[in-house]
């Protein structure tokens, strides 16, 4: 577990210029203009979407609902407006592992099913998160709970999760079932971690990273591991896939937490500073607290007093919290690149390297 004192040592030296230098060296590692396999490089999203044609239509087929209202609720977020980031990572990982094992780039049907399941679990968690957070908008439109109410939204999230479980059972592999059910356990444990807080300042960052892994990165890590198990018998490859998903997943959420301070509502499709309003101290806040110790009291009372949210936001923007969190995300992406580079060169492997850059530079 990464402790705050170690994180502080890691990020205390960089400034805005050192962050840009890290970007430069990361690009050199990935050889982004041309893949190391010798084939001309293709955009990772375009490459991944080849295996995800009719992704959302296929998910809707899994949601066998006879009730019109429940059907409408369950299909509400499967409208093609999401990034489909997780399914794309999963299919790229599947092909990269297949190439590594036997130089075969064919996608197994069961591997593609894992991509669908990952998106279904992710979407079910969004529905439930919006209920817990009392959120009113997501992806630029009203949330399920805002339209149909909390009770029905809970049932819709449960139904999506149950449909994902049925699809998972249909694969018929007990190892895969065990790997992906861990994701559901982690989601619940992560939500409980988010509801709590640590009084000890040195424990807060460890608590935050653990919560980030369980709520966000576990799904990517275990989905990558699942497709690697289906495509390759080597446990070393399984661990490579898991570590790539874990590190990219943590980096993805760290950047999400940065964007909560730096993007506008129209870009994100949801209100900004939403974490502060929910009483959550994310990476930028925890780093800013190093420069402004008076934030400790606000963190402990979960920004509940009038003016706390805006004052904390200003402290973050005046501090190096955003830059330090971004740098930490880059460190996680660097770990992901080191892991995936152990696989045999292929367009899919190199696309996974390029995806780390996309994670770091996205604005929504």
């Amino acid at each position: 577990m990464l402790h705050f004192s170690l994180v502080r040592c890691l990020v205390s030296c960089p400034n805005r210029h050192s962050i840009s230098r890290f970007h430069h060296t990361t690009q050199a590692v990935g050889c982004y203009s041309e893949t190391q396999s010798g084939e001309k490089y293709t955009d990772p999203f375009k490459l991944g979407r080849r295996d995800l044609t009719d992704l959302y239509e296929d998910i809707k087929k899994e949601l066998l609902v006879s009730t019109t209202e429940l059907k409408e609720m369950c299909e509400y977020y499967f409208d093609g407006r999401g990034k489909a980031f997780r399914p794309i990572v999963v299919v790229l990982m599947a092909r990269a592992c297949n190439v590594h094992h036997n130089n075969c780039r064919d996608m197994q049907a069961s591997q593609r099913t894992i991509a669908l399941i990952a998106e279904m679990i992710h979407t079910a968690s969004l529905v439930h998160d919006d209920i817990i957070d009392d959120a009113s908008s997501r992806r630029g439109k009203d949330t399920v709970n805002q339209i149909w109410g909390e009770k029905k939204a809970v049932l819709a999230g449960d139904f999506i999760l149950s449909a994902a479980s049925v699809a998972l059972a249909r694969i018929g592999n007990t190892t895969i079932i065990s790997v992906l059910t861990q994701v559901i356990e982690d989601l619940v444990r992560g939500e409980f971690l988010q509801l709590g807080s640590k009084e000890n300042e040195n424990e807060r960052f460890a608590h935050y990273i653990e919560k980030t892994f369980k709520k966000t990165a576990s799904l990517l890590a275990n989905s990558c591991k699942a497709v690697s198990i289906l495509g390759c018998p080597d446990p070393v490859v399984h661990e490579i896939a898991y570590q790539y998903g874990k590190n990219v997943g943590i980096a993805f959420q760290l950047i999400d937490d940065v964007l909560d301070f730096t993007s506008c509502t129209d870009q994100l499709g949801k209100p900004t500073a939403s974490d502060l309003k929910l009483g959550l101290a994310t990476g930028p806040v925890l780093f800013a607290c190093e420069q402004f110790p008076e934030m400790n009291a606000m963190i402990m009372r979960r920004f509940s007093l009038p003016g706390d949210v805006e004052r904390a936001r200003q402290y973050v923007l005046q501090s190096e919290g955003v830059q330090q969190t971004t740098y930490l995300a880059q460190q996680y992406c660097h770990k992901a690149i080191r892991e995936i580079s152990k696989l045999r060169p292929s367009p899919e492997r190199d696309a996974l390297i390029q995806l780390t850059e996309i994670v770091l530079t996205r604005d929504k």
Side-chain angles (χ1 to χ4, degrees):
M1 182 56 66
L2 189 61
H3 292 284
F4 187 52
S5 57
L6 294 177
V7 176
R8 190 171 58 222
C9 290
L10 177 66
V11 300
S12 60
C13 53
N15 53 32
R16 291 175 179 82
H17 301 294
S18 62
I19 287 172
S20 64
R21 284 201 302 273
F22 182 87
H23 266 299
H24 181 74
T25 57
T26 301
Q27 288 180 329
V29 172
C31 298
Y32 294 147
S33 60
E34 187 174 353
T35 65
Q36 294 175 10
S37 58
E39 297 185 39
K40 188 67 179 175
Y41 180 72
T42 306
D43 172 72
F45 280 89
K46 185 176 180 181
L47 189 61
R49 285 193 184 105
R50 294 183 314 173
D51 294 308
L52 297 174
T53 304
D54 299 325
L55 167 69
Y56 293 107
E57 291 305 312
D58 290 342
I59 288 176
K60 289 175 184 178
K61 290 175 185 175
E62 298 288 344
L63 301 169
L64 299 174
V65 189
S66 56
T67 307
T68 303
E69 185 179 39
L70 182 58
K71 177 181 172 66
E72 188 178 354
M73 292 168 65
C74 291
E75 294 182 354
Y76 185 67
Y77 286 138
F78 298 117
D79 56 2
R81 293 173 66 177
K83 294 182 283 288
F85 176 76
R86 289 154 191 83
I88 283 172
V89 171
V90 171
V91 296
L92 289 174
M93 181 61 74
R95 283 185 178 271
C97 290
N98 294 350
V99 170
H100 180 82
H101 175 52
N102 57 15
N103 209 25
C104 174
R105 292 177 64 190
D106 291 342
M107 167 74 63
Q108 298 178 30
S110 57
Q111 289 176 315
R112 186 179 184 276
T113 300
I114 297 297
L116 270 66
I117 292 168
E119 187 69 358
M120 292 168 76
I121 293 174
H122 170 61
T123 302
S125 73
L126 295 183
V127 174
H128 286 158
D129 277 355
D130 288 342
I131 298 165
I132 293 169
D133 299 342
D134 195 25
S136 60
S137 65
R138 181 178 290 279
R139 295 176 181 171
K141 62 182 186 178
D142 291 341
T143 56
V144 172
N145 51 292
Q146 182 77 3
I147 299 172
W148 288 280
E150 289 186 3
K151 292 181 180 179
K152 289 182 178 179
V154 170
L155 297 175
D158 289 348
F159 190 87
I160 296 169
L161 202 54
S162 69
S165 300
V166 171
L168 177 59
R170 203 163 54 238
I171 292 175
N173 185 313
T174 55
T175 302
I176 300 301
I177 292 172
S178 178
V179 167
L180 284 180
T181 51
Q182 181 64 49
V183 173
I184 300 171
E185 178 184 330
D186 285 343
L187 282 168
V188 176
R189 290 184 181 275
E191 197 61 56
F192 270 94
L193 284 171
Q194 181 163 289
L195 293 172
S197 59
K198 292 289 185 181
E199 289 190 27
N200 188 308
E201 295 172 40
N202 289 324
E203 293 180 358
R204 279 188 199 143
F205 218 99
H207 184 269
Y208 166 64
I209 294 296
E210 183 182 6
K211 181 269 297 182
T212 297
F213 168 75
K214 291 186 182 301
K215 281 203 65 179
T216 304
S218 174
L219 174 58
L220 208 52
N222 285 294
S223 297
C224 286
K225 182 178 181 178
V227 293
S228 75
I229 291 170
L230 290 169
C232 177
D234 188 354
V236 173
V237 174
H238 306 163
E239 185 63 15
I240 289 169
Y242 179 88
Q243 289 298 330
Y244 175 88
K246 172 186 174 181
N247 285 292
V248 167
I250 291 175
F252 188 95
Q253 186 58 50
L254 289 172
I255 296 300
D256 239 27
D257 295 341
V258 164
L259 292 175
D260 199 41
F261 289 94
T262 61
S263 284
C264 65
T265 299
D266 289 342
Q267 281 179 303
L268 288 181
K270 58 184 178 181
T272 54
S274 58
D275 291 328
L276 287 175
K277 294 169 187 173
L278 292 169
L280 304 178
T282 57
V285 173
L286 296 174
F287 281 124
C289 192
E290 285 289 284
Q291 291 176 251
F292 299 101
E294 53 268 42
M295 292 181 72
N296 276 307
M298 286 189 278
I299 291 172
M300 289 311 301
R301 61 177 179 257
R302 299 180 76 89
F303 314 103
S304 58
L305 293 183
D308 275 0
V309 169
E310 183 55 32
R311 195 156 70 252
R313 182 174 174 276
Q314 289 304 319
Y315 278 138
V316 169
L317 296 178
Q318 292 168 27
S319 74
E320 292 292 311
V322 164
Q323 290 78 15
Q324 289 175 311
T325 306
T326 301
Y327 184 77
L328 183 59
Q330 290 171 327
Q331 296 300 304
Y332 278 106
C333 281
H334 204 172
K335 291 178 186 177
I337 290 171
R338 283 203 307 269
E339 290 296 327
I340 202 66
S341 296
K342 297 173 185 176
L343 296 185
R344 179 184 296 181
S346 68
E348 288 78 15
R349 186 205 70 169
D350 295 329
L352 289 168
I353 292 173
Q354 173 67 6
L355 271 174
T356 64
E357 179 76 6
I358 293 172
V359 165
L360 293 172
T361 57
R362 66 194 179 93
D363 59 7
K364 62 180 180 178

